[in-house]
Amino acid sequence: MIYDFVMSLLGVLLILYVISFTLYLVRVFKGPTIPDRVLAIDSLGYDLAAFMVILSVYLRSPLIAVCALSLSLWIFVLDIYVAKYLEAREMGD
Amino acid sequence: MIDLILIVLGLILVIIGVFCDFVGAIGLIRLPNFFTRLHAATVGAIGGAVIPMLGAALIALGYEPLGETRFILAGVAFTTSLITMVLAQAGSHALARAAYRARAAPLQPIIYDALSEKNGKGEKQST
């Protein structure tokens, strides 16, 4: 009884997550400079990792949560790579 | 009884996470500058990703029909939340430092720039 209620509530929360992903995508497509876009993709990636963890609880399969672990590491690599690229371009001037 | 407490606590954490996620998304759209959008992005990363992962770990621990796989799910969710809590701040800090030094983002709505005075460049890039 309580489990059905918890699962239906988690379904509603997952739909709310998808709505907030579209709000992040607005900034990704509209962002005037490169750091804006990278920052929006950054938040989008971390929230996608949280979405995958909740989805794995909702679908009762632990395989999706393992993908979230590597996704959150990949987002950090993207940050460091873009920061190095921007600073190297500044050194060249 | 302890299962019910874990599930309710996890659900409260996930609802807080969804609220912080919406606050971060709206702030990322509405704020005028890159360095102010950084604040909204950090709200979206810490409040919107770390806290719901902790809540998902608690729900998975208390969710009885999963069987033995609930310990795997709880462990992976807890590890991912710890890694995100450390790496989100380091990544956004590196990005902000690079954007300031390379002048890749405009500093337009600005009140006071202490870093340019410290570097000895004066008023060349304030205002």
Side-chain angles (χ1 to χ4, degrees):
Chain A
M1 183 58 200
I2 181 71
Y3 296 138
D4 293 339
F5 173 70
V6 167
M7 283 303 121
S8 56
L9 190 56
L10 275 187
V12 173
L13 292 178
L14 286 178
I15 293 173
L16 289 179
Y17 257 102
V18 172
I19 293 172
S20 95
F21 286 162
T22 60
L23 292 182
Y24 280 118
L25 279 177
V26 170
R27 180 51 75 188
V28 172
F29 288 126
K30 210 179 75 176
T33 61
I34 293 177
D36 284 321
R37 292 172 199 264
V38 175
L39 195 66
I41 289 179
D42 208 17
S43 311
L44 188 62
Y46 285 129
D47 289 334
L48 196 61
F51 178 78
M52 287 164 95
V53 168
I54 297 173
L55 190 69
S56 72
V57 174
Y58 183 71
L59 294 180
R60 305 177 189 181
S61 80
L63 283 179
I64 308 172
V66 181
C67 300
L69 184 59
S70 60
L71 178 66
S72 81
L73 290 174
W74 181 81
I75 291 294
F76 177 66
V77 171
L78 176 74
D79 268 350
I80 296 301
Y81 182 74
V82 173
K84 280 294 176 188
Y85 167 72
L86 286 174
E87 290 209 34
R89 195 172 60 182
E90 188 254 345
M91 292 297 178
D93 287 341
Chain B
M1 190 58 200
I2 190 74
D3 298 344
L4 195 63
I5 295 175
L6 281 177
I7 284 180
V8 170
L9 211 59
L11 271 182
I12 290 173
L13 285 184
V14 173
I15 290 172
I16 290 173
V18 170
F19 174 72
C20 286
D21 206 12
F22 267 97
V23 169
I26 293 171
L28 205 62
I29 290 177
R30 294 286 296 169
L31 286 176
N33 196 358
F34 168 71
F35 297 98
T36 53
R37 274 173 211 146
L38 208 64
H39 164 67
T42 312
V43 169
I46 297 298
V50 173
I51 291 176
M53 282 178 199
L54 283 177
L58 290 183
I59 289 177
L61 268 186
Y63 192 54
E64 198 67 42
L66 277 177
E68 285 298 317
T69 61
R70 58 183 172 153
F71 298 117
I72 303 174
L73 260 177
V76 171
F78 188 67
T79 310
T80 312
S81 82
L82 273 188
I83 284 177
T84 303
M85 192 166 68
V86 174
L87 292 189
Q89 309 155 21
S92 64
H93 191 185
L95 196 63
R97 181 172 177 271
Y100 183 82
R101 287 166 67 105
R103 292 170 183 80
L107 291 170
Q108 203 46 14
I110 188 170
I111 293 176
Y112 178 57
D113 191 0
L115 198 55
S116 70
E117 289 182 1
K118 187 183 167 192
N119 289 340
K121 286 168 189 166
E123 294 92 24
K124 200 170 67 177
Q125 63 176 352
S126 66
T127 69

